[in-house]
Amino acid sequence: MTLIQRIDALLPQTQCGKCGHAGCKPYAAGIAAGEPINRCPPGGDATIAALAQLLQLPVLAPDPERGTAPAQVAYIREAECIGCTKCIQACPVDAILGAAKLMHSVLADECTGCDLCVAPCPVDCIEMRPAPTSAFTSLASDPSCGPEQQRARLRKRDQARQRYQARNERLQRVETARQAERAPRPLRSATVALAQGPALSALERIKAAKAAKASGGDSALKQAKIAVAMTRAQLVKTRKAFVTPPTFEQFLVLDTLGREHEAAERQLAALQTL
């Protein structure tokens, strides 16, 4: 395992963003680069101690600016739920079931207690409740736990990490398909080729861009300019609508919109150079 992976293995995998990063692994990378080890509220003192031992650093007190994060689980008051799906979109581990205009429900055993689903709810029907100790394995380390309990915590961390990674991969596939659908028909095949980047030689990329322009002519260039303007406007509008600093889920949305705008700019630049 790399140092980042070893650090990530000690973090609680709540993916809550309270450390200032978009998830546990980015924070692990930050720690490996020299960031303080005391910015994980869900991990608490036990995680700080484990990180200090791994990295041979002094044990620090938890950063008070990060707040606290006791073991908790989300609960939806189902009678008040309007089925807007906003909480489903916000959950980093796909622990909420439901569909548009239908009641939603939390899978308590999969919930990491990140509370990212609370703020987006337009009717305020989600609350964080203390995790029931009899049926819930906390993601945070606890020195007082026995070997079997510690193994159960590690298993739950691994499960949360896998669900988080699977969700991000799914969202990336959906976004890639959405971008392909938005592209003008004459440009779609060329867009796929251009997106491969270093996989193609410079000559092949030029040929692909020429083919796109030849297929669509001035229309292709016009559509590319429209795409740049629309993606820029969407990015600016979304930035203004989100809080500062953005939450973890908002960060993912901004990152996706930013990459979409950059792709549109590259496509336009390729067409303009022909």
Side-chain angles (χ1 to χ4, degrees), residues 31-265:
I31 292 175
E35 289 189 22
I37 61 175
N38 64 340
R39 295 179 176 176
C40 178
D45 292 330
T47 296
I48 294 174
L51 291 171
Q53 182 178 7
L54 171 66
L55 302 171
Q56 297 185 354
L57 296 172
V59 176
L60 303 175
D63 186 345
E65 294 184 2
R66 306 292 165 176
T68 59
Q72 56 188 359
V73 62
Y75 175 79
I76 297 176
R77 296 190 296 275
E78 297 172 348
E80 302 172 34
C81 176
I82 60 174
C84 69
T85 76
K86 292 185 181 298
C87 60
I88 295 177
Q89 299 170 40
C91 180
V93 293
D94 284 337
I96 302 178
L97 295 179
K101 299 182 180 180
L102 296 176
M103 178 187 69
H104 302 343
S105 184
V106 176
L107 298 173
D109 289 340
E110 306 296 345
C111 177
T112 65
C114 67
D115 77 21
L116 292 173
C117 58
V118 175
C121 179
V123 293
D124 196 25
C125 71
I126 304 177
E127 59 187 72
M128 301 304 298
R129 295 183 173 181
T133 55
S134 60
F136 181 84
T137 300
S138 172
L139 290 164
S141 299
D142 185 349
S144 65
C145 290
E148 183 58 35
Q149 290 176 306
Q150 290 287 15
R151 285 192 289 270
R153 292 172 189 271
L154 291 176
R155 285 194 297 269
K156 182 159 186 178
R157 285 188 192 179
D158 289 339
Q159 184 175 341
R161 184 186 296 107
Q162 291 169 11
R163 293 180 69 89
Y164 173 69
Q165 293 172 346
R167 177 181 183 272
N168 286 341
E169 291 169 2
R170 173 176 57 79
L171 292 178
Q172 185 59 51
R173 290 194 300 270
V174 170
E175 183 58 30
T176 300
R178 183 180 295 121
Q179 290 184 18
E181 285 297 320
R182 288 175 179 172
R185 288 189 179 276
L187 294 177
R188 286 183 187 174
S189 59
T191 300
V192 173
L194 290 172
Q196 295 180 17
L200 296 177
S201 67
L203 180 60
E204 288 172 325
R205 288 171 60 80
I206 292 174
K207 286 181 177 179
K210 284 183 176 179
K213 188 170 183 180
S215 300
D218 293 337
S219 176
L221 189 59
K222 180 179 179 180
Q223 291 292 337
K225 290 180 179 179
I226 293 174
V228 170
M230 291 182 64
T231 53
R232 182 189 299 113
Q234 183 63 34
L235 181 59
V236 171
K237 179 181 178 181
T238 304
R239 279 176 178 164
K240 291 181 178 179
F242 285 169
V243 299
T244 303
T247 64
F248 168 70
E249 187 65 25
Q250 290 173 345
F251 175 85
L252 289 181
V253 172
L254 290 173
D255 181 62
T256 299
L257 292 175
R259 285 187 277 111
E260 185 176 340
H261 178 56
E262 290 173 359
E265 287 185 324

